[in-house]
Amino acid sequence: MSMANQPMPRLTLVSHALCPYVQRAAIVLAEKGAQFDRRTIDLANKPGWFLAVSPLGKTPVLLVGEEPDRTPVFESAVICEYLEDTIAPRLHPLDALERARHRSWMEFGSAILNTIAAFYNAPDDQALEARRLELAAKFTQVEAMLSRGPYFSGESFSVVDAVFGPVFRYFDTFDSIRDFTVFTATPKVRVWREALGQRPSVRNAVTQDYPEKLVLFLKGRNSALSGLISA
Ligand SMILES: N[C@@H](CCC(=O)N[C@@H](CS)C(=O)NCC(=O)O)C(=O)O
């Protein structure tokens, strides 16, 4: 339901099958019980209509309203804020400082996504190991932020959880390639990962063939990790 008790405009999430930033928007929409359509594009072959609504040429874009009054909202964090502003229930904390802390850790989640990309693109074993250690170090920083769980701030699911669901999803596939022991020293993160892996909004943010699609994508990187998959 909209915050102002008005009917929600039509929402279309322009998506890419593997994009973790799309997933965070899809999770927030699902947590709010919002109706939305999904339009999936191929980022390797961006259609003209997509470039017209995506100034940075990136997914996600949330199209709000109907043509000709449709407004494209781009950047996942901005999309999440728009959804927070317009659709109940609120997922961010009410306290301003606590909300700022959540937004800070959302940024940290994006930094982890960059390290994940560096990990799966690492050209050789040495670089792969350096990135693995960097990931483990980043999750040690996250560990220090977690309290009683199971979610980032306890019992209630918040937008930070929507950011980390897609982060942890990568490790389901990485684990099937080799035990990279990224979470050995972070028991609270392990509990959080488990809880997010069971959350319906997180599970349903991707299609069933996501794992196969991710493996195909990783194989195609021509990286050290691609070599481990083929071996
Ligand atoms: N800061 C952006 C990042 C989005 C992003 O990097 N999307 C990737 C796919 S996961 C993309 O569209 N890449 C295509 C490109 O850069 O050409 C956000 O939070 O929405």
Side-chain angles (χ1 to χ4, degrees):
M1 193 202 292
S2 90
M3 298 281 211
N5 265 346
Q6 281 164 355
M8 275 304 295
R10 181 164 178 197
L11 300 174
T12 305
L13 184 63
V14 184
S15 305
H16 175 262
L18 295 175
C19 179
Y21 299 94
V22 166
Q23 290 175 49
R24 59 171 79 158
I27 293 167
V28 167
L29 282 157
E31 289 290 337
K32 290 171 179 287
Q35 292 285 334
F36 67 104
D37 305 315
R38 226 166 143 148
R39 196 161 170 192
T40 299
I41 62 143
D42 178 6
L43 280 169
N45 193 6
K46 298 175 187 175
W49 69 263
F50 169 67
L51 292 171
V53 296
S54 179
L56 295 172
K58 292 182 176 180
T59 57
V61 174
L62 185 70
L63 302 174
V64 182
E66 306 271 357
E67 288 285 26
D69 270 336
R70 206 170 60 168
T71 303
V73 180
F74 61 100
E75 285 294 316
S76 62
V78 179
I79 294 171
C80 290
E81 295 303 331
Y82 168 71
L83 297 172
E84 275 292 274
D85 284 347
T86 54
I87 313 176
R90 280 197 192 279
L91 301 176
H92 268 324
L94 281 179
D95 178 77
L97 182 56
E98 186 57 7
R99 197 160 62 243
R101 193 176 77 86
H102 278 226
R103 289 179 175 136
S104 298
W105 286 93
M106 287 172 66
E107 287 300 317
F108 197 85
S110 298
I112 294 182
L113 286 174
N114 288 336
T115 310
I116 287 173
F119 174 78
Y120 63 61
N121 285 314
D124 52 42
D125 288 349
Q126 203 183 350
L128 185 70
E129 175 61 7
R131 298 309 181 189
R132 187 189 74 80
L133 292 172
E134 198 178 323
L135 284 169
K138 281 201 163 77
F139 283 112
T140 302
Q141 289 174 275
V142 172
E143 178 84 2
M145 281 304 114
L146 298 176
S147 52
R148 63 197 180 282
Y151 298 117
F152 181 75
S153 61
E155 290 294 316
S156 57
F157 188 96
S158 63
V159 189
V160 194
D161 295 291
V163 168
F164 276 82
V167 167
F168 292 131
R169 195 192 310 279
Y170 279 102
F171 291 90
D172 298 342
T173 296
F174 296 158
D175 282 354
S176 73
I177 299 168
R178 174 188 277 182
D179 184 3
F180 287 104
T181 64
V182 167
F183 303 105
T184 310
T186 54
K188 288 179 183 170
V189 173
R190 288 204 300 272
V191 169
W192 191 25
R193 177 186 176 190
E194 176 75 26
L196 290 178
Q198 285 173 18
R199 187 92 178 176
S201 64
V202 175
R203 295 180 80 91
N204 297 329
V206 292
T207 51
Q208 284 211 323
D209 60 354
Y210 170 93
E212 295 89 73
K213 280 196 166 126
L214 181 58
V215 166
L216 265 183
F217 169 80
L218 295 173
K219 269 188 180 170
R221 306 316 291 171
N222 211 3
S223 65
L225 191 68
S226 314
L228 290 180
I229 299 172
S230 307

